[in-house]
Every structure is written in C-alpha cells, then in structure tokens.
Amino acid sequence: MDADAKKTSLRMIPYGIYVLTAKGGDAIGAATVNWVTQTSFDPPLVVVGVKADSGAYAILKESGSFALNMLGKGQQGVAFGFFKPAEVDGHMISGEPFEAGTVTGAPILQNAHASVECKVAEIVEQGDHHIVVGEVVNAHVAKSPEGRPDAAILEMKDLGDNVFYGG
Amino acid sequence: MDADAKKTSLRMIPYGIYVLTAKGGDAIGAATVNWVTQTSFDPPLVVVGVKADSGAYAILKESGSFALNMLGKGQQGVAFGFFKPAEVDGHMISGEPFEAGTVTGAPILQNAHASVECKVAEIVEQGDHHIVVGEVVNAHVAKSPEGRPDAAILEMKDLGDNVFYGG
C-alpha cells in the first residue's frame, strides 16, 4: 500500500471536534476526540475511536458510560485545552464548568453547544484506539444552531491549516 | 430523552459522502454511505455504519471486503445515483465506470477522487445499521486535492439544505 495515498485518502474524511468525558467513582476523564460517527437510528448508536492507553478510555471502560460534548465554531481554545490530561477542580474540568449528566453522571460541559450521554454498548479492542459503541440515552442542546447543525460544529480544519488527526 | 435534542445534537456530526462497494462471486453491491470514521492509525482501521437489510451489506459480509470511494465536490449526481439499488453493466455500475481493486477485488469507481480497499476485521451486529470495521489494505488517489483533503470531499450539506442522514 502506498503510504501517501493512504494518508491522503483517509484525510478526506471530515471531522467535527468533541470533548469526550467520563466519570468512574471519583475519577473524571476528559479528552478532545474527533473520530466519531453515528451508526444506527434505532436504537441511536454512535461510535468513537478512543486512544487505548488514555485516561479517559480507562474511566469510560470502568464506568460503562460517557458523554460527547459538541464544540461550536470559535471554541478552538476548549479543544486545545483538552489535548492535555484533564485537571478537575470542584465543578471545573481544565477550566471549563460542568455538571453531571442526569442519566449517566458523565460530565456535561456547560459551554459546549450540545452534548449526548451514552451507555457503552460494546467495545471492539482492535487497533491503537479502541472502538467504543455507545447508545445515546440523553441529549442536551445548550445553544441551538441558527442554520444547519453540521455547519455550527467546530471542525478539524478550524484548528489550523496543517492540523490533522487521521491518515 | 428529548427527541428534538437528540436529533439536533446528532446532526451536529459532519459527514463526507462515500460510495461503498463490494463484490462477492458475481454479485456487486454499491451504495452511498456517510457514517464513516477512522478508528486506528496502526493498523489503519475505519468504521462504516451499513444498513443491515441492504444488498451491499449482504455482499460485503459474504466477501469479507469492501471499498470506500470518496466523492469530490460537485459529484452530487454520483451520490444520488447510488441511493438506488446498483445496476451492473459490464465495467459500469449505475453508469459509473469501475475497475476491480487489486487487493480485494472490490469495485473502485474511476471517477471517485480517492478510494480505500478494506478487509472486514469485525462486524458489530447492533442497531438498524451494523458496524463494519475494516482494515485499510490498499489506497488509490485518482485526483489529488489542491488544498486540505477534507475540504475536497463532497459533504452531506452539499446534497441540499434540508438533506440529513443522522439524528
């Protein structure tokens, strides 16, 4: 396989930017992710590729639940903040206020435009990131999009001309 | 769960547009899909949500391989063409010329901007679409993007102001 062709073709896949959060016992994990897709309407399922050696992965695996917080245009700072390990201080994670999701307890970032709470339905342990299948069990919209929802989300290409995570 | 909040939040996920193809024996399947994400760098894995009662799904399941053909900006007509069941006539599928992928035999659409061939690594049979995990084993770039690859792909929002597949 030609490595450049693999990189270019896989980088054609467009991505939004999300903060994945999870709470297990007293431990809270949060990490910026982009490998996300819906995979079923009924039940509503999503798939997230989560770095297998990350703290957020360990916590979601233990707790069996997580939240995906959708960032909006202009929230690059939030995205970059969660590239680093999460630091929890009261009701703040890495400087962002949160509250516990009502169904799962997973942190809902109050500044995210929308959030979904998910119960882990299955994990496929293949690759350097594992494939987490989540059933959406609750949804919050903090800021209704004015136009198309998929035009309101922060995208990978908004993070910088040469920023990619894929390929 | 509030149904409108679920719809709005899930519709924030941005999608590219792909033609999924597969060949099993003499049968060829092809269908427009959008639920796609990479999930691992090493090995390179992708996940595709594929309608469980579709012909393309039956064929990829039998053959154990498939191709994802990335459409480019302006190729709305190709996308809409593969909403209907595929019709094969010689080296044409639904009017689009193809050749067999060299590793898997899955049809590579010659007018697609790029294509990846995948071997099925696992299928999670949950939901109305099943979760097909594919290992990328070959990649072709027919038309190199001039800027970012993820700015060159045809997107869901390019199909019409009110066209969505998700939520």
Side-chain angles (χ1 to χ4, degrees):
Chain A
M1 176 162 58
D2 182 277
D4 282 341
K6 177 187 64 118
K7 186 167 77 173
T8 299
S9 52
L10 289 177
R11 286 185 173 180
M12 288 188 76
I13 304 172
Y15 293 108
I17 303 292
Y18 315 81
V19 179
L20 172 79
T21 55
K23 181 175 192 302
D26 289 337
I28 283 182
T32 299
V33 300
N34 64 287
W35 286 346
V36 171
T37 183
Q38 187 167 357
T39 63
S40 171
F41 288 108
D42 187 19
L45 300 176
V46 294
V47 154
V48 189
V50 186
K51 202 160 179 287
D53 61 3
S54 66
Y57 177 69
I59 295 169
L60 82 79
K61 203 168 173 182
E62 183 203 334
S63 69
S65 60
F66 64 93
L68 274 179
N69 297 276
M70 281 74 171
L71 299 184
K73 293 293 185 206
Q75 294 193 299
Q76 284 87 343
V78 182
F80 286 118
F82 287 97
F83 285 168
K84 290 168 279 190
E87 292 178 14
V88 181
D89 181 9
H91 286 283
M92 306 281 273
I93 313 177
S94 301
E96 286 293 320
F98 74 97
E99 51 194 13
T102 51
V103 177
T104 63
I108 302 300
L109 299 188
Q110 292 177 247
N111 291 330
H113 284 214
S115 306
V116 290
E117 291 181 69
C118 300
K119 288 193 174 162
V120 174
E122 186 146 341
I123 295 180
V124 179
E125 297 187 354
Q126 288 203 35
D128 46 31
H129 295 56
H130 288 175
I131 296 162
V132 178
V133 182
E135 179 175 347
V136 178
V137 291
N138 203 11
H140 316 251
V141 176
K143 187 173 178 188
S144 290
E146 288 179 16
R148 287 181 64 99
D150 54 0
I153 196 167
L154 183 67
E155 291 175 283
M156 179 60 67
K157 57 191 166 203
D158 299 324
L159 296 186
D161 288 348
N162 297 306
V163 179
F164 290 95
Y165 197 82
Chain B
M1 177 161 58
D2 182 277
D4 283 340
K6 177 188 64 121
K7 187 167 77 174
T8 298
S9 52
L10 290 176
R11 286 185 174 181
M12 287 189 76
I13 304 172
Y15 293 107
I17 303 292
Y18 314 82
V19 179
L20 172 79
T21 56
K23 180 175 193 299
D26 289 337
I28 283 181
T32 300
V33 299
N34 63 289
W35 286 347
V36 171
T37 183
Q38 188 167 356
T39 62
S40 172
F41 287 110
D42 186 19
L45 299 177
V46 293
V47 154
V48 190
V50 186
K51 201 161 180 287
D53 61 2
S54 67
Y57 178 69
I59 294 169
L60 82 79
K61 204 170 173 181
E62 183 202 334
S63 69
S65 61
F66 64 92
L68 273 181
N69 297 276
M70 281 73 172
L71 299 184
K73 293 292 185 206
Q75 295 194 299
Q76 283 87 343
V78 182
F80 286 117
F82 288 97
F83 286 167
K84 292 168 278 191
E87 292 178 13
V88 181
D89 182 9
H91 287 282
M92 306 281 272
I93 313 177
S94 302
E96 286 294 321
F98 75 97
E99 51 193 14
T102 52
V103 177
T104 63
I108 302 300
L109 300 187
Q110 292 177 248
N111 291 329
H113 285 214
S115 305
V116 290
E117 292 180 67
C118 300
K119 288 192 174 162
V120 174
E122 186 146 341
I123 295 179
V124 179
E125 298 187 353
Q126 288 203 36
D128 46 31
H129 295 57
H130 288 175
I131 296 163
V132 178
V133 182
E135 179 175 346
V136 178
V137 292
N138 203 12
H140 315 250
V141 176
K143 187 174 178 187
S144 290
E146 288 180 17
R148 287 180 65 100
D150 54 359
I153 198 166
L154 183 67
E155 291 175 281
M156 180 59 68
K157 57 191 166 201
D158 300 324
L159 297 185
D161 288 347
N162 296 307
V163 179
F164 290 95
Y165 196 82

